């Protein structure tokens, strides 16, 4: 394992009791400070892979090895689900504070962290709003703040912006990149969007289905910060074409 590797998955398999073999021979590394995307068609096992990485599900075979030999403690890893899954009966601040219930932090420290996380996602001023008062994009921001409140180094995101309109999605993409570089996060981002994966990532892992595994890896070396100029550049279009071709070939692959 190289010094910069945070976690290494080797030969991961996952079968479900109903006989579905979701993953088999899935291997990849995550390196410190990188933004890596798992890109693949619906049902190829992206969520299953992310859940295994997070320790939310157990692999049937293979190994998950962490650089410091033990899995991250609660709070060292943040998970953002596709649905914002906010508690409707409590405010933005209340939702963001939830993960701190399980941590030994003082009330004053909790307040500081909640305020900080809400600021990081650009929701200052909305602390007392309730989920029902928020737009889809704002709910997702709350969900990201909730994942950041424990100050994790590693953030796992499962198609967080899939349900959002394009304008909101672009804005959240930009804000996420700014957050990633400012906070020096390591991010594993699941998506089925070629455009989103090229815009955000340092590295794209292309997955094939049945069983799910990584079949290609593409580096996106364009420097940060990426912005509208990158999104409309011919370089970006060329990289999207290349990643699309790789995804098409993954989708035509038999196991
Ligand atoms: N709990 C489960 N029991 C049985 N089969 C499951 C379970 N969870 C997932 N699967 C199956 O495993 C395969 C991979 O599912 P997974 O949700 O990981 O795919 P995905 O790539 O995240 O898809 P999507 O892009 O639609 O979210 C699918 O065939 C799915 O039906
Ligand atoms: Mg999924």
């Amino acid at each position: 394992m190289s010094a910069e590797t945070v976690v290494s998955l080797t030969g991961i398999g996952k079968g479900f009791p109903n006989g579905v073999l979701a993953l088999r021979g899935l291997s990849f590394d995550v390196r410190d400070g990188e933004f890596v995307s798992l890109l693949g068609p619906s049902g190829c096992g992206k969520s299953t892979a992310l859940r295994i990485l997070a320790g939310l599900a157990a692999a049937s075979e293979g190994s998950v090895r962490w650089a410091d030999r033990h899995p991250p403690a609660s709070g060292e890893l943040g998970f953002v689900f596709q649905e914002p899954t906010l508690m409707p009966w409590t405010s933005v601040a209340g939702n963001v504070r939830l993960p701190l219930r399980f941590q030994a932090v003082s009330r004053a420290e909790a307040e500081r962290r909640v305020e900080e996380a809400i600021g990081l996602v650009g929701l200052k001023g909305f602390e007392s709003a309730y989920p029902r008062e928020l737009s889809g994009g704002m709910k997702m921001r709350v969900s990201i703040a909730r994942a950041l409140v424990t100050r994790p180094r590693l953030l796992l995101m499962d198609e967080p912006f899939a349900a959002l309109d394009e304008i909101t999605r672009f804005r959240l993409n930009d804000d996420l990149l700014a957050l990633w570089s400012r906070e020096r996060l390591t991010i594993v981002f699941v998506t089925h969007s070629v455009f989103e994966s090229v815009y955000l990532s340092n590295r794209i892992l292309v997955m094939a289905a049945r069983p799910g595994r990584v079949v290609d890896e593409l580096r996106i070396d364009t420097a940060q910060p990426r912005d509208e100029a990158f999104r409309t550049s011919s370089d970006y279009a060329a990289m999207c074409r290349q990643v699309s071709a790789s995804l098409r070939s993954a989708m035509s692959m038999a196991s």
Side-chain angles (χ1 to χ4, degrees):
M1 196 187 271
S2 89
E4 57 169 10
T5 304
V6 175
V7 58
S8 183
L9 283 76
T10 313
I12 297 288
K14 175 73 180 175
F16 287 107
N18 62 359
V20 171
L21 184 61
L23 303 172
R24 188 197 220 164
L26 173 92
S27 300
F28 66 88
D29 287 350
V30 179
R31 296 167 204 150
D32 191 32
E34 78 173 339
F35 197 124
V36 58
S37 289
L38 286 177
L39 173 73
S42 184
C44 76
K46 303 181 295 297
S47 295
T48 305
L50 208 63
R51 290 173 56 79
I52 290 172
L53 193 50
L56 296 170
S60 321
E61 56 185 36
S63 68
V64 179
R65 281 177 301 144
W66 294 90
D68 43 12
R69 288 170 187 275
H70 60 82
S74 119
E76 289 174 357
L77 180 148
F79 201 105
V80 179
F81 298 90
Q82 181 164 347
E83 301 296 328
T85 60
L86 303 180
M87 304 302 157
W89 59 83
T90 183
S91 63
V92 165
N95 272 283
V96 173
R97 192 182 298 113
L98 277 176
L100 294 178
R101 280 195 182 179
F102 312 108
Q103 300 225 310
V105 293
S106 71
R107 210 186 160 88
E109 174 64 12
E111 287 317 307
R112 249 195 315 276
R113 294 229 200 148
V114 167
E115 193 186 323
E116 174 192 74
I118 289 174
L120 283 174
V121 299
L123 281 182
K124 209 165 160 44
F126 291 91
E127 291 82 355
S128 341
Y130 279 79
R132 64 174 179 276
E133 304 172 89
L134 306 176
S135 69
M138 289 163 91
K139 283 185 193 150
M140 193 41 83
R141 287 178 190 275
V142 178
S143 171
I144 296 171
R146 184 180 52 193
L148 292 173
V149 78
T150 59
R151 298 186 180 146
R153 293 290 315 280
L154 177 62
L155 192 57
L156 308 182
M157 308 182 83
D158 192 356
E159 304 206 43
F161 309 141
L164 302 176
D165 65 82
E166 197 170 77
I167 309 270
T168 307
R169 187 172 181 161
F170 284 178
R171 191 174 316 131
L172 280 160
N173 281 171
D174 286 337
D175 290 353
L176 179 63
L177 279 183
L179 193 63
W180 165 69
S181 74
R182 210 170 49 231
E183 300 300 309
R184 300 179 192 282
L185 297 166
T186 303
I187 298 184
V188 182
F189 189 94
V190 162
T191 181
H192 55 239
S193 163
V194 167
F195 302 106
E196 189 170 57
S197 67
V198 173
Y199 189 69
L200 295 173
S201 315
N202 302 131
R203 203 154 58 93
I204 300 172
L205 304 168
V206 179
M207 288 180 68
R210 276 177 293 277
R213 69 255 188 234
V214 173
V215 293
D216 198 9
E217 174 179 328
L218 298 107
R219 296 201 59 86
I220 308 294
D221 287 322
T222 309
Q224 303 282 348
R226 295 179 185 169
D227 53 17
E228 206 45 40
F230 174 53
R231 210 194 289 279
T232 50
S233 68
S234 53
D235 276 0
Y236 177 68
M239 285 184 255
C240 288
R241 267 198 303 279
Q242 192 190 348
V243 174
S244 270
S246 172
L247 183 60
R248 254 197 320 279
S249 130
M251 288 174 75
S252 66
M253 244 174 227
S255 62

